[in-house]
Amino acid sequence: MIYLDNNATTPCDPSVVKEMLPFFENDYANASSNHALGWMAKDSIEKSDGTLASVLGILQDEIIFTSGATEGINMILKGVFESKKEKGNHIVTSKTEHKAVLDTCKWLESHGASITYLDVDENGLIDLEELESAINTETILVAIMLANNETGIIQPLEAISQVCKKHNAPLFSDATQALGKISLEHFFEQVDYACFSAHKLYGPKGVGFNYIKKEHLSGFKGFIQGGGQQRKLRGGTYNTPLIIGLAKAVELAHENFTAYNTKIQDLRNRLEKGISKIEGSHINGKLSPRLPGTLNISFEFVDGEQLLTSLATKIAVSNGSACTSASVDPSHVLTAMGLSSNLAFSSIRFGVGKQNTEKEIDAAIELITEQVRLQRENNILWARRK
Ligand code: PLP
């Protein structure tokens, strides 16, 4: 099996596993317990907190551990909605956000929120003027992701941030796919809130963290009550091993940033070059800045579902987001970019990772080229296309 679904999740790096193991077997005390073993666990968590803060250039207090980005997104959207009721109920987001944002926005709408969903152009980018005119005096949050999980398209966050600052609208950016893959050097100056997840960067599943800028912490209403952990912002026993693993994964991504991403981008470009030789193929988001490892491609006259089924025991890829794989609708991201349902249905998303090799990429190109040919073989429309 060739694994090219690294946007859905990544394998846990062996050194991350090694770092976590003692915290399952030996150093298992509850970090909130008031005895020497509990204090040691608390110390280890604070060390991880410190690692994240220094690698990312933020404050320890601005970090809240979560079970991953879905929880992180729920915490921020619902928390801001609850905390800012006296200012307003309006949130601006875009049509190509992850379902965790869109579904939470739908839920908020049923609880009195007013949501503006911005369109994107054919390159997957929002329009800054549209953003500016959507913001009003009732706007309590603008939620625009940094990098899209299906296409890898990177939004112009610096310009978005300028618009938000001009109108005093706090900015939340889902940067789950971006951490470890693109530089976040100025990111934390630009945003007020952000969320991340360890399993997208060779860390364990079920852990992530939120960034909440210091000035927004007081008065912020967390929505998981109980135990008072994490300064009452998110109750529940600290998941010590996973938090240790998360910090190690972020540290590794930081130390190896250039090496990992140069390799990943070279492999993605090799894949892109090989697959785009297939007649009637379209790279989605080709003209926009994109994540180094993501390739989203549609094939005319091919049923993406059948194509995926034919590849399912040989190559691990997705047609869109793994989180929406139960859906029978075409990708909301691709249709928002103006693709027809047919072309959106025929798309495949590749996520190249640091563990992939040139040999795997070449084998994948060969397999996909052959399967696309087979899918079209008995398609009368393909035969008559000219
Ligand atoms: N946001 C984006 C952009 C993602 O890619 C994902 C993962 O698919 C999520 C949010 C949800 O992350 P998690 O699996 O940690 O809940």
Side-chain angles (χ1 to χ4, degrees), residues 4 14 35 43 49 53 64 90 96 119 121 128 130 156 163 165 173 216 226 245 252 266 277 284 306 323 341 362 366:
L4 289 171
H35 50 64
D43 269 0
D49 222 349
I64 296 129
H90 180 235
T96 56
D119 287 319
D121 63 16
L128 295 174
E130 231 180 89
V163 173
K165 284 188 174 140
S173 189
H216 299 295
L252 278 179
D266 285 350
K277 284 189 186 143
N284 297 312
Q306 278 183 24
C323 311
S341 311
D362 293 344
E366 207 172 296

Side-chain angles (χ1 to χ4, degrees), residues 51-278:
T51 303
L52 290 179
S54 75
V55 164
L56 301 171
I58 57 180
L59 303 171
Q60 271 179 251
D61 276 356
E62 294 176 320
I63 295 167
I64 296 129
F65 296 111
T66 62
S67 64
T70 301
E71 182 194 322
I73 288 164
N74 272 267
M75 179 196 288
I76 291 166
L77 290 172
K78 292 176 181 171
V80 170
F81 181 68
E82 264 313 296
S83 319
K84 300 286 176 193
K85 283 209 158 129
E86 77 293 351
K87 179 172 184 221
N89 67 344
H90 180 235
I91 294 174
V92 181
T93 188
S94 85
K95 290 185 180 168
T96 56
E97 295 296 305
H98 190 273
K99 283 287 177 183
V101 168
L102 296 175
D103 289 353
T104 307
C105 283
K106 286 271 165 290
W107 186 90
L108 286 172
E109 278 178 311
S110 70
H111 287 74
S114 153
I115 316 272
T116 302
Y117 299 91
L118 298 176
D119 287 319
V120 295
D121 63 16
E122 68 275 21
N123 299 315
L125 301 174
I126 64 159
D127 183 291
L128 295 174
E129 282 174 21
E130 231 180 89
L131 167 66
E132 184 152 16
S133 54
I135 298 173
N136 62 42
T137 51
E138 301 256 298
T139 305
I140 50 171
L141 195 67
V142 172
I144 302 290
M145 73 199 317
L146 179 52
N148 187 274
N149 46 299
E150 293 191 29
T151 56
I153 291 169
I154 299 166
Q155 295 290 344
L157 214 72
E158 188 181 350
I160 291 170
S161 158
Q162 278 166 9
V163 173
C164 292
K165 284 188 174 140
K166 183 172 157 197
H167 295 280
N168 210 12
L171 175 60
F172 160 43
S173 189
D174 171 2
T176 309
Q177 290 289 345
L179 182 57
K181 300 175 191 165
I182 56 172
S183 165
L184 296 188
E185 203 187 333
H186 299 293
F187 177 76
F188 295 99
E189 295 151 26
Q190 293 159 357
V191 302
D192 297 274
Y193 306 88
C195 66
F196 304 91
S197 185
H199 74 103
K200 306 291 184 181
L201 67 153
Y202 313 98
K205 292 166 185 60
V207 67
F209 67 99
N210 274 354
Y211 164 77
I212 301 185
K213 208 178 223 80
K214 200 170 173 209
E215 68 202 64
H216 299 295
L217 280 168
S218 84
F220 185 87
K221 295 194 173 111
F223 76 110
I224 299 187
Q225 274 72 43
Q229 288 91 345
Q230 305 209 56
R231 305 174 303 289
K232 298 201 175 146
L233 290 170
R234 199 265 193 181
T237 301
Y238 285 95
N239 194 336
T240 316
L242 297 199
I243 291 172
I244 303 294
L246 157 71
K248 182 70 183 172
V250 173
E251 199 178 21
L252 278 179
H254 177 69
E255 285 167 5
N256 300 289
F257 183 83
T258 308
Y260 287 175
N261 288 307
T262 308
K263 177 185 173 188
I264 287 171
Q265 183 147 15
D266 285 350
L267 291 177
R268 194 278 309 270
N269 290 349
R270 189 180 182 98
L271 181 68
E272 186 164 309
K273 194 166 164 219
I275 297 204
S276 54
K277 284 189 186 143
I278 299 174

